Amino acid sequence: MSDSIENVFKMEEYQKDVCEVYNFQIEKVIKDHYPTKVVQVHKTLDPNRKWAVKMCYKDNTQKGISSERQFLTEVIILRGLKHPFIMCLDNVASFPNYFCFVMPFYEQGTLTKALPTMTHELRDECLVQLCCGIKFLHDRGVAHRDLKSDNILLTMQKNVVIADFGLADYVWRREPLVTRKKGTYMHISPEQGEEPFNCFNCDMYSLGVVYWCMLYRVDVIDLKPKEPLLTIVSQTFHVPDIDRDILSCLLEADPTKRFSVMSLINLLSNSKRFDHRIKLLRVSEFQEKGLCLCLLKSQSFKKKIL
């Protein structure tokens, strides 16, 4: 095991394969970009119990070391987070040829898969839940840096799960400044360059792209529009005013004018279309698991719910 990983936390080490240790059988490969791979597995004696396993192969090349660093970042961040709309870890371990972690498997797949049949009810629900998850992250000094529909999963109950924290940043919450450009094509905010920038603002821009994809029910990466996303919105007559406001606030090119997650939450709280969805997020359901619904920290939400 590399010294970097040993210095951060104690990881269980095994000489056998992950399937032997956890009594798994591999069903299929979900993603394979060497040196990382994600596979779907099930319990040998109970095929209905399924998980996803993310592996990072031990490779001393520059690409391998970079992937190991991303894997380590993801593990460290996820081990410290517990929230219903954020991916959780079940096990983390080291094997002779790779590191891996075990996480829940979601049959519904990614938000990208749901885009073509996206209803306005599901779209609104996803936005509120994403706000909740992102606020939870930002309050703890975590910027995701790669928000996109491929990195958002859906549960059987149609709840979102923010996943893939390999590019995430840990920053000082009051001054979340970074200099490294990160993210996926079409989701990267325009201010990212050599000058220090606020990485929380980058997440909000990416959220705007995700919401645009949900509104138009298409993955912007596949569409490859020639015009700016806001220009397309301005040319679409049937877009409701609240959706125009949301996208204008999130896709704002000037990061100093772009909405923070709390500003977006306040905007939604003043909309009748979103207000009832906030109320439906029952605190009691999460308190039983020792969780706190971060949206309720806003005084505006407290007044509306009480």
Side-chain angles (χ1 to χ4, degrees):
M1 185 186 301
S2 69
D3 291 338
S4 61
I5 290 182
E6 286 181 338
N7 290 336
V8 175
F9 60 86
K10 176 71 174 177
M11 183 184 292
E12 294 293 334
E13 296 189 58
Y14 300 98
Q15 295 305 312
K16 299 180 180 180
D17 183 77
V18 61
C19 290
E20 294 180 77
V21 172
Y22 297 119
N23 198 23
F24 287 152
Q25 284 191 3
I26 295 177
E27 289 191 12
K28 65 178 180 180
V29 176
I30 300 175
K31 187 183 298 184
D32 190 0
H33 298 300
Y34 188 84
T36 61
K37 179 187 289 188
V38 180
V39 296
Q40 176 187 332
V41 301
H42 66 254
K43 279 289 187 182
T44 302
L45 300 179
D46 187 357
N48 292 322
R49 299 179 62 192
K50 301 180 180 183
W51 285 267
V53 177
K54 184 170 185 176
M55 297 177 282
C56 179
Y57 287 91
K58 299 175 181 179
D59 186 339
N60 288 326
T61 64
Q62 184 175 357
K63 182 178 180 181
I65 294 172
S66 176
S67 295
E68 181 181 315
R69 186 180 299 114
Q70 288 186 16
F71 175 87
L72 172 61
T73 298
E74 187 166 16
V75 169
I76 294 172
I77 289 176
L78 290 178
R79 282 168 64 100
L81 300 175
K82 188 177 181 182
H83 191 277
F85 303 141
I86 295 173
M87 177 61 73
C88 64
L89 298 184
D90 288 342
N91 291 289
V92 183
S94 173
F95 296 91
N97 297 320
Y98 56 84
F99 308 106
C100 83
F101 61 76
V102 182
M103 53 190 168
F105 174 74
Y106 298 100
E107 294 275 4
Q108 299 298 310
T110 67
L111 185 61
T112 303
K113 181 180 176 182
L115 289 176
T117 58
M118 176 74 63
T119 64
H120 73 269
E121 291 88 355
L122 179 58
R123 181 184 69 231
D124 292 356
E125 193 70 33
C126 286
L127 180 61
V128 171
Q129 293 179 4
L130 286 169
C131 285
C132 182
I134 293 170
K135 184 176 186 304
F136 181 86
L137 294 174
H138 289 184
D139 284 349
R140 285 152 185 79
V142 177
H144 188 281
R145 298 301 307 277
D146 197 20
L147 284 171
K148 57 183 178 180
S149 57
D150 269 351
N151 287 342
I152 300 168
L153 305 174
L154 290 177
T155 69
M156 292 294 289
Q157 295 74 33
K158 301 297 183 180
N159 292 325
V160 304
V161 177
I162 301 173
D164 201 341
F165 284 75
L167 295 182
D169 284 325
Y170 256 135
V171 293
W172 185 34
R173 186 165 60 90
R174 294 186 177 181
E175 193 174 357
L177 299 179
V178 296
T179 56
R180 185 180 174 189
K181 185 176 181 178
K182 293 182 182 180
T184 299
Y185 169 73
M186 291 298 298
H187 294 74
I188 301 174
S189 56
E191 72 271 13
Q192 295 192 44
E194 296 182 0
E195 295 296 324
F197 52 87
N198 184 320
C199 54
F200 292 166
N201 289 339
C202 301
D203 279 353
M204 299 311 294
Y205 184 90
S206 298
L207 177 61
V209 178
V210 170
Y211 191 68
W212 188 95
C213 294
M214 290 195 289
L215 184 65
Y216 285 88
R217 301 196 298 181
V218 63
D219 186 358
V220 70
I221 297 177
D222 294 333
L223 184 64
K224 296 182 177 62
K226 296 181 179 180
E227 296 179 296
L229 299 184
L230 282 180
T231 300
I232 296 175
V233 174
S234 66
Q235 296 172 350
T236 307
F237 296 105
H238 67 270
V239 177
D241 290 341
I242 181 61
D243 293 318
R244 293 181 188 275
D245 291 343
I246 292 169
L247 290 172
S248 296
C249 295
L250 294 179
L251 296 176
E252 167 62 54
D254 185 347
T256 63
K257 297 179 181 178
R258 192 178 306 145
F259 267 27
S260 66
V261 67
M262 199 64 249
S263 297
L264 178 57
I265 288 171
N266 288 331
L267 174 65
L268 299 182
S269 73
N270 291 319
S271 167
K272 292 182 179 179
R273 199 178 96 194
F274 287 94
D275 179 58
H276 74 284
R277 300 191 181 281
I278 307 260
K279 295 177 181 178
L280 287 175
L281 289 175
R282 298 177 181 174
V283 183
S284 58
E285 294 179 3
F286 302 124
Q287 286 179 333
E288 293 176 359
K289 300 178 182 180
L291 300 171
C292 178
L293 192 58
C294 61
L295 290 179
L296 298 178
K297 292 182 179 179
S298 166
Q299 291 299 319
S300 61
F301 280 90
K302 287 182 180 179
K303 291 178 181 178
K304 285 181 175 290
I305 293 176
L306 295 176

